[in-house]
């Protein structure tokens, strides 16, 4: 049961470092200089986004056999491992939202939109399909987002400039690759090949 929380937390925390939402957090922190409304916006947006992603993952997990689900997960985790190696860039549209609203609402809207189709949202879908405790997966992925983004909000440019992003991307990709290998093993087990 604890795996349903710890694995999503670690995977998302690693995958989020250098992600466009982390760049967005940096921009919002520099623009508003009010960390707590920004952090509250990150929490609210992530919970909403990852709850929806988790619901999709749980539904997908319920419609496929164990073998088929694990093969899908293996391919998805391997693809996400490769995707994690590609650095993100912040879209101008996401940064321009800040001009219209205050720090909380700007962060809520911008983070929710930035996470749609992002690798951490896709990872949440896959993790929710893999682990039976949906609420722990959602909390874990949200905590992972906070682990990666709160220091950026609090420390501003210092944190973003000092992190070895290439190394962190490689660690995150390795973690997704390990999950892919585990999923292949489980798929082979479920298929009766092992």
């Amino acid at each position: 049961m604890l795996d349903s929380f710890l694995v999503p937390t670690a995977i998302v925390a690693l995958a989020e470092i250098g992600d466009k939402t982390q760049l967005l957090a940096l921009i919002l922190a520099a623009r508003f200089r009010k960390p707590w409304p920004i952090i509250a916006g990150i929490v609210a947006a992530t919970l909403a986004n990852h709850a929806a992603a988790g619901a999709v993952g749980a539904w997908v997990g319920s419609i496929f056999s164990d073998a088929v689900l694990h093969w899908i997960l293996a391919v998805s985790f391997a693809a996400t491992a490769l995707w994690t190696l590609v650095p993100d860039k912040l879209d101008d549209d996401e940064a321009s939202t800040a001009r219209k609203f205050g720090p909380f609402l700007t962060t809520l809207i911008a983070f929710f939109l930035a996470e749609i189709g992002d690798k951490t949202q896709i990872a949440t879908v896959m993790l929710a399909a893999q682990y039976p405790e949906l609420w722990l997966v959602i909390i874990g992925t949200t905590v992972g987002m906070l682990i990666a983004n709160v220091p950026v909000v609090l420390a501003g440019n210092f944190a973003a400039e000092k992190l070895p992003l290439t190394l962190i991307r490689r660690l995150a990709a390795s973690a997704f690759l390990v999950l892919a290998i585990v999923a292949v093993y489980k798929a082979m087990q479920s298929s009766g090949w092992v």
Side-chain angles (χ1 to χ4, degrees):
M1 185 167 152
L2 202 53
D3 286 352
S4 297
F5 171 77
L6 294 177
V7 171
T9 299
I11 292 295
V12 169
L14 280 173
E16 187 62 20
I17 295 177
D19 191 72
K20 67 182 172 185
T21 48
Q22 194 175 49
L23 297 173
L24 179 60
L26 185 61
I27 289 170
L28 292 168
R31 177 166 287 157
F32 289 111
R33 300 193 189 279
K34 294 182 178 178
W36 300 114
I38 294 169
I39 292 168
I42 293 170
V43 170
T46 303
L47 281 172
N49 192 292
H50 288 195
V56 169
W59 173 73
V60 167
S62 71
I63 62 172
F64 292 109
S65 70
D66 279 350
V68 170
L69 177 63
H70 285 105
W71 284 115
I72 291 170
L73 288 170
V75 170
S76 298
F77 280 131
T80 305
L82 293 173
W83 186 9
T84 301
L85 293 172
V86 179
D88 270 336
K89 293 187 178 31
L90 183 64
D91 298 330
D92 289 334
D93 292 342
E94 291 162 0
S96 70
T97 306
R99 294 184 198 108
K100 298 177 188 172
F101 307 106
F104 174 77
L105 196 54
T106 297
T107 304
L108 176 71
I109 293 167
F111 261 76
F112 186 85
L113 293 175
E115 273 297 293
I116 294 174
D118 195 53
K119 65 183 160 273
T120 51
Q121 186 189 43
I122 303 300
T124 302
V125 171
M126 293 183 293
L127 291 162
Q130 184 174 6
Y131 292 101
E133 292 84 12
L134 175 61
W135 64 277
L136 284 176
V137 170
I138 294 166
I139 292 170
T141 57
T142 301
V143 169
M145 286 284 286
L146 293 173
I147 289 170
N149 287 299
V150 168
V152 171
V153 172
L154 295 176
N157 286 335
F158 176 77
E161 292 172 1
K162 300 296 180 190
L163 293 173
L165 296 180
T166 302
L167 173 63
I168 292 168
R169 276 191 210 94
R170 288 178 182 161
L171 289 172
S174 299
F176 280 116
L177 188 58
V178 167
L179 287 173
I181 292 167
V182 169
V184 166
Y185 178 75
K186 287 182 178 179
M188 292 173 70
Q189 262 185 332
S190 298
S191 299
W193 300 351
V194 185

